[in-house]
């Protein structure tokens, strides 16, 4: 169905010829690259969110509190770990406000979180958390001015650990991620086609397992308009892959002729959708109306690129530097009545659909139990996103190592929290643990219930509880008998039979 002839363009000639697939076998090792003894969630998390970064947070938080003349006690490393653990747990157990976890209302109160830290201390840490010295921040107009100065230590630390703790696999995808933020900031972007429409934009490269290997926060337009932004982002995020014969997939925002030629020289096999009006591309020789669903046409350039136009419900354009344009497969297309119709499809399209969703997979893992912490300080949204990112990457490593017992993402986060707050829960040496079987609470029965019902019968308990009537602070009395109707403990002996009291 393709016309004979050649299309002459600036970078060479597009011809109707088929070339064999040019990728080579992937031989590099890939997957987790952490110490052998790192087996627990907290061990893996500390590899990605290193102790040096926690110490930096402690140092800068204390410095900021000192600059604000705070009278609170200085924070320490274990307290910051507990603080992080509480916030990670709040991502699983969500309440409208962080103060609700300490609320006197029993419907909201969370005994576990309240036992780890007081609400005032938590609020202090939340308002004084810092990672950079404000007094040394370069002013706008300074050559060293950095929009991400307040987060730079976190970004640099995680960028390094993500690269060292994971060897990238054969298939990679690069896409945009959005970090929700509705406040005022020059870096905030509006993406109407994304589920999160307003927020910070992050260029992300993810592995097929969902591990985020590399990221860049987009800081917005600069004074001089940047040309070829998409190509620059792809080149920045693929420097680690040069010479490795990896396969990289990205969408039409990034794809261009010069970029794919450059990647091919670096032994990076790339494929992506492409806009039909990109420069140096060939043009379709047939109008869209003449194409039926499943029809396609292709061209190959002298620089080794393959251009494919395939008709689905609308025309789709692909550009690849290694596919054979004549290679096809069969895919199922869903019809209006719900039935599936098998149609021809170029392999380049099938490969793109199979491998392009890795960044979306990572975003789904983050969004499941993310730390949704609101703040007037713009950079805290990014900070909590990076904490979530480190947790999700830790979970991916845990799964890939097949550590027993296998944990779901929720179980992994709960186990991580338990290990982060372990020092707080552990009793000092020599101090006896309180017997959990003996309740310290003295229950009460409402007057309405006591005076309206009389079917009170005693039942023997397995544990001892404080008597609801005769036990006092000065003289605690315990009993193993409980009222079946009121569910309160009461003494039952030859000297005292309190069940008769009304």
């Amino acid at each position: 169905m393709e016309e004979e002839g050649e299309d002459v363009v600036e970078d060479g000639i597009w011809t109707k010829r088929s070339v064999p697939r040019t990728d080579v076998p992937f031989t590099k090792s890939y997957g987790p690259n952490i110490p052998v003894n790192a087996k627990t969630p907290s061990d893996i998390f500390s590899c990605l969110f290193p102790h040096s970064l926690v110490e930096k947070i402690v140092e800068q938080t204390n410095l900021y509190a000192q600059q604000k003349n705070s009278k609170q006690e200085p924070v320490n490393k274990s307290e910051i770990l507990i603080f992080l653990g509480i916030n990670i747990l709040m991502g699983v157990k969500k309440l409208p406000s962080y103060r609700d976890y300490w609320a006197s209302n029993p419907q909201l109160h969370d005994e576990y979180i309240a036992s780890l830290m007081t609400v005032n201390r938590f609020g202090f840490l939340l308002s004084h958390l810092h990672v950079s010295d404000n007094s040394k921040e370069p002013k706008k107009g300074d050559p060293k001015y950095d929009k991400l100065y307040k987060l730079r230590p976190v970004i640099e630390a995680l960028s390094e650990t993500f690269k060292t703790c994971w060897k990238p696999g054969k298939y990679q995808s690069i896409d945009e991620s959005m970090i929700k933020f509705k406040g005022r900031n020059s870096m905030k972007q509006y993406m109407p086609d994304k589920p999160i429409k307003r927020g910070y934009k992050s260029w992300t490269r993810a592995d097929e397992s969902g591990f985020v290997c590399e990221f860049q926060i987009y800081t917005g337009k600069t004074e001089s308009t940047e040309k070829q932004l998409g190509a620059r982002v792809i080149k920045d995020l693929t420097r680690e892959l040069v010479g490795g014969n990896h396969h990289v997939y990205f969408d039409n925002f990034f794809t261009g002729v010069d970029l794919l030629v450059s990647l091919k020289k670096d032994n990076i096999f790339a494929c992506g959708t492409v806009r039909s009006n990109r420069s140096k591309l060939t043009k379709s020789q047939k109008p869209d109306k003449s194409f039926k669903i499943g029809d396609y046409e292709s061209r190959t350039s002298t620089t080794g690129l393959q251009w494919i136009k395939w008709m689905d419900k609308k025309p789709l354009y692909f550009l690849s530097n290694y596919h054979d344009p004549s290679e096809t497969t069969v895919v199922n297309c869903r019809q209006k009545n719900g039935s599936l119709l098998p149609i021809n499809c170029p392999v380049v399209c099938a490969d793109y659909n199979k491998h392009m969703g890795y960044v979306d997979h990572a975003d789904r893992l983050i969004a499941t139990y993310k730390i949704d912490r609101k703040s007037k300080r713009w950079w805290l949204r990014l900070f909590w996103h990076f904490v979530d990112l480190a947790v999700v990457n830790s979970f991916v490593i845990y799964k890939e190592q097949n550590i027993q017992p296998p944990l779901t993402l929720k179980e992994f986060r709960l186990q991580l929290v338990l290990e982060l707050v372990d020092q707080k829960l552990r009793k000092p040496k020599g101090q006896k643990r309180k017997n959990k079987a003996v309740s310290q609470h003295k229950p009460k029965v409402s007057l309405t219930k006591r005076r309206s019902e009389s079917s009170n019968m005693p039942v023997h308990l397995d544990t001892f509880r404080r008597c609801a009537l005769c036990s006092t602070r000065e003289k605690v009395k315990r009993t193993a008998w409980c009222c079946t109707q009121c569910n309160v403990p009461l003494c039952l002996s030859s000297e005292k039979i309190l069940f008769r009291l009304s």
Side-chain angles (χ1 to χ4, degrees):
M1 59 167 291
E2 300 175 16
E3 298 288 342
E4 296 291 339
E6 298 178 345
D7 297 326
V8 181
V9 291
E10 294 178 16
D11 67 319
I13 299 176
W14 292 95
T15 60
K16 183 194 168 184
R17 62 188 177 92
S18 180
V19 294
R21 194 177 173 113
T22 56
D23 59 333
V24 297
F26 181 77
T27 57
K28 286 196 169 186
S29 61
Y30 61 92
N33 184 33
I34 59 174
V36 180
N37 58 351
K39 297 293 185 182
T40 65
S42 61
D43 290 339
I44 300 171
F45 180 74
S46 65
C47 292
L48 297 172
F49 201 92
H51 292 294
S52 59
L53 179 56
V54 178
E55 290 165 359
K56 181 76 172 177
I57 294 172
V58 172
E59 175 192 343
Q60 292 301 323
T61 300
N62 285 329
L63 177 62
Y64 181 72
Q66 186 180 356
Q67 291 170 346
K68 289 291 183 180
N69 298 319
S70 173
K71 296 181 181 179
Q72 289 269 4
E73 287 291 322
V75 303
N76 53 50
K77 185 177 176 181
S78 63
E79 193 173 25
I80 289 294
L81 290 175
I82 293 169
F83 176 69
L84 292 176
I86 292 174
N87 279 281
I88 292 169
L89 181 57
M90 286 178 176
V92 180
K93 303 168 73 174
K94 296 182 186 292
L95 287 177
S97 168
Y98 80 85
R99 302 190 72 88
D100 290 338
Y101 296 91
W102 287 268
S104 56
N105 187 337
Q107 293 174 302
L108 296 173
H109 183 81
D110 189 295
E111 187 61 39
Y112 184 83
I113 290 177
S115 67
L116 297 173
M117 188 177 290
T118 65
V119 64
N120 289 339
R121 189 61 173 174
F122 185 85
F124 166 76
L125 291 174
L126 205 57
S127 60
H128 288 75
L129 185 70
H130 259 69
V131 292
S132 296
D133 187 357
N134 287 353
S135 62
K136 296 181 180 179
E137 182 178 4
K139 302 297 181 183
K140 197 169 184 179
D142 190 296
K144 294 183 179 178
Y145 174 70
D146 182 7
K147 286 186 177 182
L148 292 169
Y149 172 82
K150 289 183 180 292
L151 272 171
R152 188 56 62 186
V154 177
I155 293 172
E156 289 178 353
L158 297 189
S159 296
E160 182 63 29
T161 56
F162 288 1
K163 288 180 183 177
T164 56
C165 292
W166 185 271
K167 295 178 181 177
K170 179 178 180 179
Y171 299 107
Q172 305 280 305
S173 75
I174 297 176
D175 202 358
E176 304 153 333
S177 288
M178 290 294 287
I179 304 159
K180 188 177 181 180
F181 180 72
K182 293 185 178 180
R184 292 186 177 183
N185 192 275
S186 61
M187 295 190 297
K188 188 178 73 172
Q189 303 293 311
Y190 176 63
M191 303 283 289
D193 296 332
K194 292 284 184 178
I196 299 175
K197 293 176 171 44
R198 290 175 177 83
Y200 303 114
K201 184 192 290 185
S202 171
W203 314 114
T204 305
R205 175 168 62 84
D207 197 88
E208 56 187 314
S209 61
F211 188 94
V212 173
C213 304
E214 205 167 344
F215 62 88
Q216 275 187 7
I217 301 297
Y218 179 53
T219 56
K221 291 182 180 179
T222 56
E223 293 179 1
S224 58
T225 304
E226 183 178 5
K227 294 183 178 179
Q228 301 294 322
L229 171 64
R232 192 267 301 167
V233 169
I234 296 295
K235 288 180 181 179
D236 287 349
L237 295 180
T238 55
R239 293 308 86 193
E240 187 189 4
L241 310 179
V242 172
N245 299 323
H246 295 81
H247 291 221
V248 183
Y249 297 83
F250 36 80
D251 63 23
N252 59 27
F253 176 81
F254 307 98
T255 311
V257 171
D258 293 336
L259 172 64
L260 266 69
V261 171
S262 174
L263 292 176
K264 188 167 186 176
K265 291 177 182 177
D266 293 333
N267 287 337
I268 298 173
F269 302 107
C271 163
T273 54
V274 66
R275 296 172 183 174
S276 59
N277 59 353
R278 284 283 193 191
S279 62
K280 301 184 181 180
L281 273 185
T282 182
K283 304 296 181 184
S284 177
Q285 295 184 355
K286 279 192 172 186
D288 294 346
K289 292 181 180 179
S290 64
F291 281 81
K292 298 177 181 178
I293 291 181
D295 289 348
Y296 78 98
E297 66 173 322
S298 63
R299 297 288 185 273
T300 301
S301 76
T302 54
T303 53
L305 303 187
Q306 292 79 41
W307 172 89
I308 297 100
K309 175 184 177 181
W310 177 62
M311 180 59 72
D312 191 10
K313 294 177 182 177
K314 62 179 181 179
L316 300 176
Y317 302 88
F318 296 89
L319 196 63
S320 172
N321 64 9
Y322 72 96
H323 279 93
D324 181 352
S326 65
E327 198 175 353
T328 61
T329 184
V330 176
V331 296
N332 291 320
C333 179
R334 189 170 295 279
Q335 305 300 297
K336 289 183 179 180
N337 60 4
S339 62
L340 295 176
L341 176 68
I343 60 172
N344 285 329
C345 173
V347 168
V348 61
C349 177
D351 284 351
Y352 177 85
N353 288 335
K354 181 179 179 181
H355 301 295
M356 184 57 203
Y358 301 151
V359 175
D360 292 335
H361 177 47
D363 287 343
R364 282 194 297 272
L365 290 174
I366 293 171
T368 307
Y369 303 108
K370 71 175 180 178
I371 306 169
D372 195 12
R373 174 77 57 229
K374 293 181 181 179
S375 174
K376 292 181 180 178
R377 292 186 288 168
W378 64 267
W379 63 271
L380 275 180
R381 269 289 187 183
L382 288 168
F383 176 81
W384 294 122
H385 169 77
F386 290 136
V387 173
D388 277 329
L389 190 54
V391 173
V392 166
N393 277 354
S394 303
F395 170 69
V396 173
I397 290 176
Y398 186 90
K399 269 184 69 176
E400 290 295 317
Q401 287 186 310
N402 295 319
I403 300 172
Q404 298 298 324
L407 299 176
T408 63
L409 178 57
K410 181 171 72 174
E411 292 169 341
F412 179 87
R413 291 181 83 104
L414 293 177
Q415 182 62 31
L416 173 60
V417 170
L418 189 63
E419 293 170 10
L420 289 176
V421 305
D422 180 58
Q423 290 184 353
K424 180 70 176 180
L425 297 177
R426 195 185 299 145
K427 295 294 177 185
K429 254 189 175 180
Q431 183 176 342
K432 293 182 179 179
R433 287 181 175 270
K434 292 179 181 177
N435 185 4
K436 291 184 179 179
V438 179
S439 172
Q440 301 299 310
H441 175 64
K442 181 177 176 180
K444 294 181 181 180
V445 183
S446 66
L447 286 174
T448 306
K449 192 169 186 178
R450 287 177 61 188
R451 293 174 179 175
S452 62
E453 300 176 11
S454 59
S455 57
N456 307 84
M457 294 297 293
V459 63
H460 193 272
L461 301 172
D462 294 330
T463 60
F464 283 85
R465 297 170 62 188
R466 288 183 61 186
C467 177
L469 287 180
C470 62
S471 181
T472 64
R473 285 188 178 181
E474 294 75 21
K475 196 170 184 180
V476 178
K477 295 289 184 180
R478 302 190 185 279
T479 178
W481 294 92
C482 178
C483 175
T484 55
Q485 187 69 22
C486 304
N487 194 28
V488 295
L490 292 168
C491 290
L492 178 63
S493 64
S494 57
E495 296 83 14
K496 291 186 294 183
I497 305 177
L498 301 180
F499 285 87
R500 293 177 182 172
L501 297 177
S502 60

